[in-house]
RNA sequence: UGGGUUAUUGUGUAAAGGUAGCACUACAGAUUUUGAUUCUGUCUGUCUAGGUUCGAAUCCUAGUAACCCAACCA
């Protein structure tokens, strides 16, 4: 069996570059703009950039692309750093595009001096009109032929705050009839009298993305600058600027961004969900943000494995949420402690069990022996799951029903003798007898049953709030649907159970703990928990063969 | 209608002219003190039409479809 995985196209490029001696080692970068929270799509980029450097021996810089002061904030800087660390990556350097504002200004001057940039007084409307369309060439601005001296003078005045926002811009002088719209004299500097989260009020002109990103890559000697597909048209400009500026030739490579079923991934849409109150915040467990997944109970390993499995290519994709859930369950199955919790309770009374007796039973904490064992109190009255009883047993029903036998997990086999109903026909209690010789671990009864159900002792049960999450959208691809994507939200994405019964061992749970509520799913403590009131989030359900059986009819 | 990018099963991703493989999903079965896990098995694919070749997912020609580009956003 060969464990060798074939390289993705970027790894192939790097391997070739290294083999041919183009570089001795590589440097990558992760360049978020600090204007929002990171989402699962970013984790693909993070895993790629950091993973590449790790694989080929190199480093990865964290660089904040903070060239637009009006949208950016240190709140985002902090959350981004937290998320990257949580995912398990450490950057070699923490840089900011704003660190380079002085250098970038010099670069602009150099371009002007080469006759390759000019100050344009046109309004944004005029610039847009003159730009033409994809099918029609643009026209030169009347300011295009200004002298180098005048441009230098004007650009310095822009920097010195002589002009208001929008009055002037600096443009690269390339070709107004270029087939690539980005090469039609792109704006490289604009005036913004705005407070920057790091440089304060030092600057009132700020470089555009195209005059900051590639230059920052170059300053940091980034060998492989990896970004998403929509930046392909920028590459020509990226290369042009590096060539004219005569600086270190970083190279840009593009891969397809991650899309996932039943969610949206654009920052704009996520911001809308937060601002319109559809979710409680960026870290709402239903959000596809890293902080949302973290709060919901996802593990860093599961997300890294997911990013590894989805691969890297240039094709548009829509990844099944089920793959992420598979990676999650794969990890949690090995590590989560098994406990019992009854979410929708009904009382079970063992009529032949001593009235006030309490027995401490032991149960394994999981399939892996290293997880150890714990004691669970057992008594005459138990809470069991309402859905584990059927008045009239269905076909292939292994659980409780009149005259049927089941095992109570880690305890005894019981037989249902009768049940009580209220006036509305709701079942209120189930009466069973237990088989004393069937005690878990020392069963001499010789009886084997098909079903095992979970329970919590009525006398010893604690209560907790349990939040059950479902997908945020009903549509597989809400962004591609007609109309507003919010029309496709799932109205039942959150179901709160205010008083679930939990086994007493859960009272000492910590925020980092991961649990499997046996037969119900994986859960973790939410940060809303207090000592008086525990709150659990359902991380993900277990696979459920029975519900499929039911659907088949 | 200009330019760019992409096309392999339901979803992803391999195969660099030589057996279309892997994972998820789905389905069937075995095991199970979680209808979980684990194990075994099954199904479905090279965008279309031509061509080159002993042989094409791969090369050539012509189509088709999807996505991106006309922010003083990144």
């Amino acid at each position: 069996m060969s464990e060798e995985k074939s390289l993705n196209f970027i790894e192939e490029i790097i391997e070739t570059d290294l083999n041919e001696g183009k570089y001795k080692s590589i440097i990558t970068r992760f360049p978020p703009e600090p204007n929002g929270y990171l989402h699962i799509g970013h984790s693909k980029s993070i895993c790629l950039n950091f993973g590449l450097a790790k694989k080929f021996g190199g480093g990865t810089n964290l660089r904040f692309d903070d060239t637009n002061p009006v949208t950016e904030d240190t709140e985002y800087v902090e959350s981004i750093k937290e998320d990257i660390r949580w995912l398990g990556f450490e950057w070699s350097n923490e840089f900011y595009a704003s660190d380079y504002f002085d250098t970038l200004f010099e670069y602009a001057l150099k371009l002007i001096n080469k006759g390759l940039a000019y100050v344009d007084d046109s309004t944004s409307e005029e610039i847009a009109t003159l730009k033409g369309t994809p099918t029609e060439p643009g026209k030169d601005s009347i300011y295009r032929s200004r002298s180098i001296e005048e441009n230098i003078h004007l650009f310095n005045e822009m920097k010195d705050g002589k002009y208001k926002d929008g009055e002037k811009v600096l443009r690269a002088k390339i070709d107004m009839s270029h087939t690539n719209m980005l090469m039609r004299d792109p704006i490289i500097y604009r005036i913004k009298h705005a407070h920057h989260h790091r440089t304060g009020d030092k600057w009132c002109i700020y470089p555009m993305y195209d005059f900051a990103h590639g230059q920052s890559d170059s300053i940091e000697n980034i060998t492989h600058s990896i970004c998403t597909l929509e930046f392909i048209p920028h590459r020509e400009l990226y290369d042009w600027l590096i060539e004219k500026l005569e600086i270190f030739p970083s190279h840009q490579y593009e891969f397809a961004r991650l899309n996932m079923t039943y969610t949206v991934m654009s920052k704009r849409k996520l911001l809308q969900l937060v601002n319109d109150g559809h979710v409680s915040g960026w870290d709402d467990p239903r959000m596809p943000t890293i902080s949302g997944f973290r709060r919901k109970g996802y593990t860093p390993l599961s997300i890294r494995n997911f990013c590894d499995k989805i691969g890297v290519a240039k094709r548009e994709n829509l990844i099944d949420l089920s793959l992420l859930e598979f990676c999650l369950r794969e990890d949690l199955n090995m590590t989560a402690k098994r406990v019992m919790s009854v979410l929708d309770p009904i009382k079970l009374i063992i009529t032949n069990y001593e009235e006030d007796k309490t027995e401490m039973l032991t149960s394994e904490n999981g399939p892996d022996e290293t997880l150890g064992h714990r004691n669970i109190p057992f008594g005459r009255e138990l809470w069991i799951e309402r859905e584990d009883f059927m008045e009239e047993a269905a076909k292939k029903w292994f659980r409780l029903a009149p005259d049927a036998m089941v095992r109570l997990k880690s305890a005894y086999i019981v037989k249902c003798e009768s049940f009580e109903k209220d006036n509305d026909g709701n079942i209120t209690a189930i009466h069973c007898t237990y088989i004393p010789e069937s005690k878990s671990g020392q069963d001499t009864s010789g009886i084997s049953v098909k079903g095992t159900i979970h329970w919590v002792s009525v006398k010893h049960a604690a209560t907790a709030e349990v939040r059950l999450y479902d997908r945020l959208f009903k549509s597989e691809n809400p962004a591609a649907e007609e109309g507003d994507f919010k029309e496709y939200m799932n109205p039942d994405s959150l179901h709160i159970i205010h008083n679930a019964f939990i086994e007493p061992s859960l009272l000492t749970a910590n925020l980092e703990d991961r649990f499997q509520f046996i037969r119900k799913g994986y859960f973790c403590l939410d940060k809303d928990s207090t000592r008086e009131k525990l709150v659990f989030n359902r991380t993900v359900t277990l696979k459920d063969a029975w519900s499929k059986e039911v659907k088949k009819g």
Side-chain angles (χ1 to χ4, degrees):
Chain A
M1 260 240 271
S2 167
E3 288 296 316
E4 230 163 272
K5 238 183 104 184
S6 49
L7 301 180
N8 67 47
F9 79 98
I10 295 174
E11 292 170 331
E12 278 177 8
I13 289 166
I14 293 175
E15 196 169 71
T16 305
D17 287 348
L18 255 18
N19 287 343
E20 290 176 351
K22 189 169 171 185
Y23 307 108
K24 283 203 291 290
S25 63
I26 65 163
I27 305 179
T28 59
R29 106 266 90 118
F30 177 62
E33 183 189 11
N35 69 346
Y37 282 66
L38 259 25
H39 54 64
I40 185 85
H42 291 110
S43 50
K44 178 176 179 180
S45 175
I46 292 169
C47 291
L48 218 205
N49 277 297
F50 283 89
L52 250 18
K54 191 172 286 179
K55 179 166 187 167
F56 292 97
T60 304
N61 292 342
L62 169 59
R63 184 176 69 235
F64 290 97
D65 230 332
D66 56 351
T67 56
N68 186 0
V70 302
T71 56
E72 296 153 6
D73 196 273
T74 39
E75 172 201 350
Y76 300 119
V77 170
E78 293 312 312
S79 81
I80 288 168
K81 292 201 283 190
E82 183 187 0
D83 288 348
I84 298 171
R85 284 207 188 91
W86 178 78
L87 273 177
F89 297 105
E90 198 52 56
W91 45 93
S92 351
N93 300 100
E94 179 180 330
F95 290 137
Y96 294 78
S98 54
D99 294 340
Y100 311 134
F101 281 173
D102 287 291
T103 310
L104 262 15
F105 183 78
E106 293 304 318
Y107 284 172
L109 248 20
K110 181 169 183 176
L111 227 44
I112 294 173
N113 271 310
K114 285 181 131 190
L116 294 172
Y118 62 98
V119 172
D120 195 327
D121 302 359
S122 309
T123 64
S124 65
E125 292 74 28
E126 285 163 348
I127 289 175
T129 308
L130 255 25
K131 197 157 203 171
T133 69
T135 51
E136 304 159 43
K139 294 190 185 72
D140 290 359
S141 160
I142 53 168
Y143 303 101
R144 198 174 198 262
S145 51
R146 285 220 253 236
S147 71
I148 290 174
E149 292 68 32
E150 190 183 3
N151 281 320
I152 289 174
H153 178 71
L154 257 18
F155 186 50
N156 272 301
E157 283 190 340
M158 280 168 65
K159 182 188 110 171
D160 292 339
K162 288 248 165 64
Y163 305 107
K164 291 200 282 286
D165 287 12
E167 251 183 275
K168 284 181 168 50
V169 291
L170 184 70
R171 293 230 255 172
K173 192 190 278 190
I174 308 180
D175 178 1
M176 287 307 290
S177 56
H178 202 110
T179 52
N180 182 349
M181 298 294 288
L182 276 155
M183 299 296 275
R184 320 244 263 226
D185 290 11
I187 293 168
I188 57 177
Y189 259 96
R190 79 288 213 187
I191 300 168
K192 271 181 196 278
H193 290 272
H195 187 84
H196 187 279
H197 72 107
R198 295 189 81 244
T199 59
D201 298 316
K202 179 180 175 191
W203 294 90
C204 64
I205 57 170
Y206 292 91
M208 297 285 288
Y209 166 84
D210 286 300
F211 200 70
H213 199 101
Q215 290 55 46
S216 304
D217 284 344
S218 182
I219 290 167
E220 295 173 20
N221 285 335
I222 302 299
T223 54
H224 302 264
S225 178
I226 296 156
C227 61
T228 47
L229 252 29
E230 65 269 28
F231 289 96
I232 288 176
H234 293 255
R235 190 176 60 225
E236 199 170 9
L237 178 53
Y238 183 105
D239 292 341
W240 187 90
L241 286 167
I242 281 178
E243 186 202 321
K244 301 304 178 195
L245 256 15
E246 301 166 77
I247 54 179
F248 178 84
S250 297
H251 289 280
Q252 174 184 305
Y253 303 92
E254 310 87 7
F255 69 97
R257 69 184 324 142
L258 166 69
N259 296 296
M260 209 166 58
T261 53
Y262 301 108
T263 191
V264 291
M265 213 66 97
S266 91
K267 244 183 222 178
R268 206 194 93 247
K269 292 193 175 75
L270 295 177
L271 184 65
Q272 247 183 88
L273 293 176
V274 173
N275 286 346
D276 298 356
H278 290 102
V279 295
S280 62
W282 285 101
D283 70 343
D284 186 297
R286 293 166 293 178
M287 290 283 275
T289 51
I290 294 177
S291 51
F293 281 119
R294 175 168 62 233
R295 184 168 173 191
K296 196 171 173 184
Y298 276 63
T299 61
L301 180 63
S302 66
I303 293 177
R304 278 186 266 127
N305 284 344
F306 171 72
C307 291
D308 194 48
K309 279 181 206 281
I310 57 178
V312 178
K314 298 185 84 156
R315 185 176 4 161
E316 291 287 338
N317 59 74
L318 183 63
I319 309 277
D320 258 326
L321 173 61
S322 58
L323 181 60
L324 212 209
E325 294 186 337
F326 166 81
C327 295
L328 211 215
R329 292 189 184 108
E330 186 183 41
D331 184 19
L332 256 17
N333 178 50
M334 301 306 292
T335 53
K337 267 189 248 165
R338 269 59 171 177
V339 292
M340 294 199 281
S341 166
V342 175
L343 304 182
D344 182 17
I346 184 168
K347 193 178 276 186
L348 181 147
I349 301 156
I350 305 172
T351 52
N352 60 340
Y353 195 87
E354 247 177 86
E355 201 85 31
D356 292 315
K357 184 175 171 186
T358 292
E359 235 182 306
M360 290 307 280
L361 303 172
T362 56
S363 183
E364 75 284 354
N365 287 334
D368 192 317
E369 277 301 313
T370 60
L371 287 168
H373 296 258
R374 72 188 185 291
N375 294 324
I376 319 170
F378 180 84
R380 185 175 201 259
E381 297 196 343
L382 309 171
W383 294 117
I384 66 163
E385 211 72 60
R386 182 168 292 274
E387 64 173 15
D388 284 340
F389 178 80
M390 262 186 115
E391 199 175 333
E392 287 175 62
K395 262 192 302 180
K396 295 191 197 165
W397 178 255
F398 303 154
R399 285 116 94 155
L400 219 44
D403 295 320
M405 286 191 182
V406 294
R407 173 170 292 281
L408 297 169
K409 171 72 183 169
S410 298
Y412 299 91
I413 292 174
V414 292
K415 181 182 182 196
C416 173
E417 306 288 354
S418 64
F419 58 91
E420 294 171 32
K421 257 185 184 179
D422 65 14
N423 293 334
D424 301 326
N426 300 313
I427 292 164
T428 52
I430 299 165
H431 296 267
C432 289
T433 51
Y434 84 115
I435 294 154
E437 307 80 55
S438 67
K439 185 169 178 175
S440 187
Q442 46 202 80
D443 187 346
T444 57
S445 70
I447 300 169
S448 74
V449 291
K450 284 279 254 184
T452 299
I453 64 172
H454 59 281
W455 50 272
V456 176
S457 164
V458 169
K459 206 195 299 178
H460 307 90
T463 59
E465 177 176 313
V466 174
R467 298 175 183 170
L468 305 178
Y469 301 101
D470 199 354
R471 48 183 65 136
L472 236 199
F473 291 89
K474 290 178 294 186
S475 163
E476 273 210 337
N477 191 1
E481 297 280 2
E482 300 261 317
D484 188 357
F485 74 100
K486 293 193 293 304
E487 288 169 26
Y488 300 90
M489 293 190 72
N490 175 9
D492 307 313
S493 59
L494 169 61
H495 176 63
I496 299 177
I497 295 170
H498 295 281
N499 279 300
F501 291 113
I502 56 174
E503 64 169 71
S505 75
L506 241 16
L507 254 13
T508 55
N510 295 311
L511 228 40
E512 317 74 50
D513 293 337
R514 297 288 185 283
F515 300 99
Q516 185 195 103
F517 288 5
I518 288 184
R519 305 207 303 136
K520 298 310 296 182
Y522 292 98
F523 292 79
C524 71
L525 213 54
D526 188 80
K527 66 174 188 185
D528 286 349
S529 296
T530 61
R531 212 165 282 149
E532 293 72 41
K533 183 184 156 197
L534 296 182
V535 178
F536 287 93
N537 292 322
R538 183 172 68 197
T539 309
V540 68
T541 59
L542 259 26
K543 288 225 276 184
D544 184 358
W546 174 247
S547 71
K548 281 179 191 165
E549 193 66 39
V550 172
K551 272 183 206 148
K552 277 189 282 179

